Structure formats: C-alpha cells, structure tokens
Amino acid sequence: NDFIAIYNRKMNSIKNMKGCVSLQLYQDESDHSIFFTVSLWNNIEDLKEYRSSTLFKNTWKTIKPWFASKPEAWSLIETR
C-alpha cells in the first residue's frame, strides 16, 4: 500500500518530465507484492535525464529498501 501511495503522489511529476509519453503501474495478479512500472519515452536521452533527476533519486531512495530481491529494469525498442 505504501508503494501505491508513493506512486500515486509521484506519477504526475514523472509524467510531466521532458520526454515522458506515458506511465503505467501494473500489479501481479497472483503475488500482490510484485509491481511493474511501464513508461514510454521519446528517446533514451530523456529517460537518462529522468534517471539522473532529483525526482528519481529521491523516489528510488525511498522505495529501494522495500524490494525483497534485486530490482530489474529493461529498456526496450519497438520493432515492427
């Protein structure tokens, strides 16, 4: 519940970051302690700028201790 509350407080700030096209939060259907955030960015430079922002660093500092295992992140490109 704390994670969802933080997400809800921060999501508009993240969505308003330069280059953020969309941001979604998903929760595993069977294990409610597993979450996925999916964000779409205009380009990798905008994503890197977000990851080096104070917003990201402060949010990460709060939620990282809650992870039961090593967090994972992927950067994907769309193929057609």
Side-chain angles (χ1 to χ4, degrees), residues 12-29:
N12 285 332
S13 296
I14 297 168
K15 286 180 178 180
N16 288 327
M17 293 291 296
K18 176 185 163 214
C20 184
V21 176
S22 68
L23 176 66
Q24 298 292 322
L25 178 66
Y26 297 94
Q27 187 174 28
D28 188 89
E29 187 174 20

Side-chain angles (χ1 to χ4, degrees), residues 10-51:
K10 304 281 185 167
M11 71 176 188
N12 285 332
S13 296
I14 297 168
K15 286 180 178 180
N16 288 327
M17 293 291 296
K18 176 185 163 214
C20 184
V21 176
S22 68
L23 176 66
Q24 298 292 322
L25 178 66
Y26 297 94
Q27 187 174 28
D28 188 89
E29 187 174 20
S30 59
D31 184 345
H32 291 207
S33 71
I34 298 175
F35 291 91
F36 295 87
T37 55
V38 178
S39 58
L40 179 62
W41 296 82
N42 281 328
N43 55 58
I44 192 68
E45 290 77 22
D46 290 339
L47 175 57
K48 286 179 181 179
E49 189 173 321
Y50 163 66
R51 286 181 177 162

